[in-house]
């Protein structure tokens, strides 16, 4: 209930525990030919570049933050371009918790709605 026409869409990818250990959080965790050179963000960004509905020029990884984000835009359609922010869930990610808090605040104080 808080979206504005210029808002982006935020996606949080929550991986099952079995997938959380690979790839590494930082490139180069292993040495030699087994080196891990991609984070989850880089791996996803590389795959998104091949999607027909994504503008590959718009893909940006912001990784020098507490929660790294991939910013991407859809291709121009008759409807409009959508801005997407994609992040991976983890102990440092509180976005999903914030949804519940904002919902509670809006129920208690309806005047905060735009």
């Amino acid at each position: 209930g808080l979206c504005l026409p210029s808002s982006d869409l935020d996606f949080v990818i929550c991986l099952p525990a079995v997938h959380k250990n690979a790839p590494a959080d930082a490139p180069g965790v292993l040495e030699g030919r087994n080196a891990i050179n991609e984070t989850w963000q880089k791996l996803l960004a590389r795959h998104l570049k091949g999607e027909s509905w994504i503008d590959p020029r718009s893909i940006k990884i912001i990784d020098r933050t507490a929660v790294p984000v991939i910013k991407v835009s859809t291709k121009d359609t008759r409807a409009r371009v959508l801005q997407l922010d994609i992040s991976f869930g983890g102990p440092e990610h509180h976005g999903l918790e914030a949804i519940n808090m904002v919902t509670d605040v809006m129920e208690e104080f309806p005047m905060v709605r735009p």
Side-chain angles (χ1 to χ4, degrees), residues 9-15 44 67-69 85-90 93-97 99:
L9 296 173
D10 295 325
F11 290 90
V12 179
I13 298 175
C14 299
L15 297 172
L44 178 58
V67 178
V69 174
D85 286 356
I86 306 169
S87 59
F88 287 88
H93 198 296
H94 301 288
L96 297 175
E97 296 167 15
I99 292 171

Side-chain angles (χ1 to χ4, degrees), residues 42-113:
K42 289 181 182 178
L43 180 66
L44 178 58
R46 186 167 48 84
H47 285 285
L48 286 173
K49 284 183 182 179
E51 293 295 322
S52 61
W53 56 279
I54 294 289
D55 178 358
R57 298 167 298 166
S58 71
I59 298 174
K60 292 181 180 44
I61 299 174
I62 301 172
D63 56 1
R64 297 197 190 289
T65 60
V67 178
V69 174
I70 302 169
K71 292 188 155 293
V72 64
S73 301
T74 60
K75 286 190 174 174
D76 192 9
T77 64
R78 290 185 350 198
R80 66 179 209 168
V81 173
L82 297 176
Q83 308 294 323
L84 312 175
D85 286 356
I86 306 169
S87 59
F88 287 88
E92 68 288 340
H93 198 296
H94 301 288
L96 297 175
E97 296 167 15
I99 292 171
N100 295 329
M101 184 207 64
V102 170
T103 302
D104 292 345
V105 168
M106 287 191 315
E107 287 176 4
E108 189 172 344
F109 304 102
M111 71 286 288
V112 300
R113 290 183 177 274

Side-chain angles (χ1 to χ4, degrees), residues 18-37:
V18 71
H19 292 291
K20 288 187 178 178
N21 292 331
D25 291 332
V29 170
L30 300 177
E31 297 297 325
R33 61 182 234 172
N34 294 325
I36 297 170
N37 294 318

